[in-house]
Amino acid sequence: MTDRLSPTLDPFQLAEELSGKHLIGGNLVLSASGRTFDVTNPATGKVIGQAAYGEAADVDAAVAAAKAAQAEWAGLSARQRGKLVAECATLLTQHAEELGRLVALETGKALRTESRVEAGVLADAFVFYGGLGSELKGESVPHSPDMMTVTLREPIGVVGAIIPWNVPMMLMALKIAPALVAGNAVVVKTAEEAPFACLRTCQIMNQVLPPGVFNILSGYGPECGAPLVAHPDVGKITFTGSVETGRIIYQTAAHKLIPVTLELGGKSPMIVMGDADLDRAVAGAVAGMRFTRQGQSCTAASRMYVHEDVHDAFVERLKAKVDAMTIGDPLDEATDIGAIISPQQFERVQGYLRIGQETPGMKMLRCASMPAGTELADGLFVQPVICTDVPADSPLGREEIFGPVTCVFKFREFEDAMAAANDSEYGLAASIWTRDLSTAMQAGKRLEAGFVQVNQNIVVLPGLSYGGTKHSGIGREASLEAMLDHFTHKKTLIINMT
Ligand code: ADP
């Protein structure tokens, strides 16, 4: 391979260079219409570049490129595909700092606490799945002595992946790495707010992958995402985003009778028992609430149920810990907390804060200091807020805010905490904090969520099966089963030996 891309550490330059492009069939190309739309830096409100304005014609081109490339890709041995995917991981590791800086610029997520970490997990997802090629095996079925019956895992064909803006590279990787290793070709539609880091990832990977195997489009949901879902040659959709959009996608997929994986919202409970190690629980609350991601996480621990014996101490220590965090320029190494992604999302969070302020008796503890400096004056910064004395029916405690706002509720009996935790339309993540093994195990079994933790609140990582129950979605990601169950068809082959 000649002329490998070299990392560009200036994200502003990179955003400009990538402006106006999709990547289809191995080439950076303009939209069929030539149109673009602005992408802004949430920390300053300034335009950093333009995304290509993808529409049905671009979807057609990308799906055609994927379809043309897929058969040959599927014709490679699974291990060979895995090897190429693992080679992508090596290149992505070399570009990790570059990608971290770029995603910090477009999403407003702090480089040190979030964006650099995301770039690392991105590469790790390809390492993980790159090693799983030989696990695409079937079974032998002891059906009849006269027949040799085996099952085969076959690729679906062209997979459409639609991703959100909060952890765009990592969520994309958890979709496309298993899809590719399983022998599919993919067309990704990036989120309108954050197209560049994913496009750059695609460009880097296209140095290793055959052209057309991994294509990427930018554009708005209804104009670019919807035609991708509806396209007759797309045989599977994997989506992360809102419940609302998930429903629309599921309807189209139902009409086409194609499978979907849907990772939707959450309102994840964290239960702190009276015997918990309080310092650990407080640290876990900060991590779990994803304050460093401005709370913009489906798994954010946005409902905290704390035993009455430790409630006040917990709130006090949590406030002190969040107060010590620095809100500021995402690219500054000193920054812990960056900016909210978009004016719409900022307004949505403000709307919830207004409801909180108008709720009689509810207390709202604003933490940490707003950033100083004129450069950031137009940035979409929100101070983290800890709400207490929240009525059980308050939208702040029931709806997904996707901002740095958490509610702390008091409970007395374990049964009450279980009932409250499970009284939600969502079922994505949950955690219990206790020193008692029996309490931990009971809660582990009873909490209605797909991703349950005891005495920790880590994020989804390659290898850990991840996904929701109830309105949080359908299907699992990040694990071996995700590749086998969600990106292959199972064929039964019955050979008559007589
Ligand atoms: P959010 O509110 O976080 O932006 P969305 O569910 O609207 O969540 O967006 C997640 C992803 O889904 C984005 O890439 C967006 O462009 C895409 N999207 C939005 N509407 C549609 C749609 N009707 N069909 C397909 N994709 C869509």
Side-chain angles (χ1 to χ4, degrees):
M1 188 85 40
T2 54
D3 287 343
R4 281 267 160 99
L5 292 170
S6 39
T8 304
L9 293 180
D10 177 356
F12 293 91
Q13 183 193 331
L14 203 48
E16 237 178 86
E17 281 173 19
L18 294 168
S19 273
K21 310 279 181 15
H22 303 298
L23 201 154
I24 300 176
N27 299 309
L28 286 169
V29 295
L30 303 175
S31 279
S33 66
R35 292 170 74 197
T36 60
F37 60 94
D38 286 345
V39 180
T40 53
N41 174 358
T44 61
K46 293 207 175 95
V47 173
I48 53 166
Q50 282 75 37
Y53 199 120
E55 292 174 284
D58 306 293
V59 170
D60 287 346
V63 173
K67 193 177 174 190
Q70 193 265 330
E72 205 170 316
W73 176 244
L76 296 178
S77 71
R79 286 193 66 158
Q80 181 60 16
R81 288 194 301 269
K83 209 170 142 216
L84 291 171
V85 164
E87 244 179 76
C88 292
T90 305
L91 289 186
L92 292 169
T93 303
Q94 288 161 7
H95 283 262
E97 183 63 16
E98 165 199 89
L99 290 167
R101 298 177 77 79
L102 189 56
V103 86
L105 178 65
E106 64 184 353
T107 62
K109 289 190 305 177
L111 178 61
R112 176 176 51 80
T113 55
E114 283 288 332
S115 295
R116 193 177 278 136
V117 179
E118 183 187 349
V121 180
L122 163 79
D124 193 40
F126 292 102
V127 171
F128 174 71
Y129 280 109
L132 292 183
S134 27
E135 293 304 316
L136 285 155
K137 54 198 179 198
E139 301 128 351
S140 68
V141 183
H143 175 71
S144 148
D146 294 338
M147 295 177 204
M148 172 81 84
T149 302
V150 293
T151 60
L152 306 172
R153 293 279 182 182
E154 297 193 338
I156 291 167
V158 177
V159 168
I162 297 178
I163 53 172
W165 45 260
N166 62 333
V167 207
M169 297 188 294
M170 195 269 272
L171 293 174
M172 177 175 78
L174 294 180
K175 297 179 184 319
I176 67 173
L180 290 172
V181 172
N184 303 284
V186 298
V187 177
V188 171
K189 206 251 348 134
T190 50
E192 31 285 65
E193 296 85 352
F196 294 131
C198 289
L199 174 58
R200 181 65 168 174
T201 300
C202 181
Q203 190 188 22
I204 293 164
M205 289 178 62
N206 264 268
Q207 296 174 107
V208 169
L209 300 175
V213 164
F214 175 15
N215 310 276
I216 197 158
L217 302 169
S218 51
Y220 289 96
E223 287 151 288
C224 188
L228 178 61
V229 179
H231 198 290
D233 289 332
V234 170
K236 152 99 197 183
I237 288 289
T238 169
F239 167 79
T240 299
S242 62
V243 175
E244 215 172 33
T245 305
R247 280 205 180 97
I248 295 171
I249 289 175
Y250 202 13
Q251 268 169 1
T252 308
H255 184 72
K256 285 173 63 181
L257 297 171
I258 62 165
V260 290
T261 307
L262 302 174
E263 297 293 348
L264 309 176
K267 188 76 181 175
S268 300
M270 164 172 179
I271 298 167
V272 181
M273 300 300 293
D275 70 340
D277 176 334
L278 214 54
D279 283 333
R280 271 182 79 181
V282 168
V286 174
M289 185 46 218
R290 318 281 185 246
F291 279 120
T292 53
R293 201 182 294 162
Q294 298 75 255
Q296 300 169 134
S297 165
C298 315
T299 54
S302 50
R303 295 187 287 146
M304 300 180 182
Y305 298 94
V306 183
H307 191 273
E308 60 182 11
D309 289 352
V310 293
H311 175 274
D312 293 355
F314 176 88
V315 170
E316 194 181 312
R317 289 193 215 178
L318 179 59
K319 170 141 176 41
K321 213 164 177 75
V322 184
D323 273 340
M325 298 172 87
T326 302
I327 307 177
D329 178 357
L331 289 167
D332 186 336
E333 296 287 344
T335 297
D336 297 301
I337 298 174
I340 298 281
I341 186 76
S342 65
Q344 294 83 338
Q345 190 57 28
F346 182 84
E347 191 37 52
R348 184 181 154 83
V349 176
Q350 299 298 338
Y352 280 106
L353 295 178
R354 280 194 293 274
I355 294 175
Q357 270 148 11
E358 288 158 12
T359 304
M362 188 160 151
K363 295 196 191 78
M364 304 177 79
L365 306 171
R366 287 172 196 268
C367 309
S369 311
M370 287 293 267
T374 47
E375 258 288 284
L376 305 178
D378 293 329
L380 302 169
F381 297 98
V382 177
Q383 280 177 287
V385 183
I386 301 165
C387 306
T388 63
D389 301 278
V390 182
D393 62 351
S394 167
L396 277 79
R398 300 197 68 83
E399 296 173 14
E400 185 176 45
I401 299 174
F402 232 64
V405 184
T406 192
C407 295
V408 183
F409 299 90
K410 208 182 269 185
F411 74 89
R412 181 199 284 272
E413 303 297 337
F414 174 71
E415 285 304 324
D416 297 337
M418 283 292 112
N422 287 337
D423 179 19
S424 171
E425 61 180 306
Y426 295 112
L428 190 55
S431 68
I432 172 97
W433 299 72
T434 178
R435 289 186 166 102
D436 184 70
L437 185 61
S438 158
T439 306
M441 293 180 74
Q442 282 189 50
K445 281 203 77 155
R446 290 175 56 184
L447 284 167
E448 294 168 4
F451 200 71
V452 180
Q453 303 184 53
V454 177
N455 294 330
Q456 63 172 18
N457 253 332
I458 59 168
V459 295
V460 56
L461 291 169
L464 302 176
S465 191
Y466 171 71
T469 60
K470 302 194 254 185
H471 287 183
S472 291
I474 295 172
R476 294 293 177 264
E477 294 195 299
S479 55
L480 171 61
E481 92 190 90
M483 176 173 79
L484 299 179
D485 296 348
H486 294 279
F487 294 107
T488 69
H489 288 304
K490 195 178 202 179
K491 177 186 277 179
T492 300
L493 177 62
I494 311 149
I495 304 152
N496 188 324
M497 298 188 297
T498 58

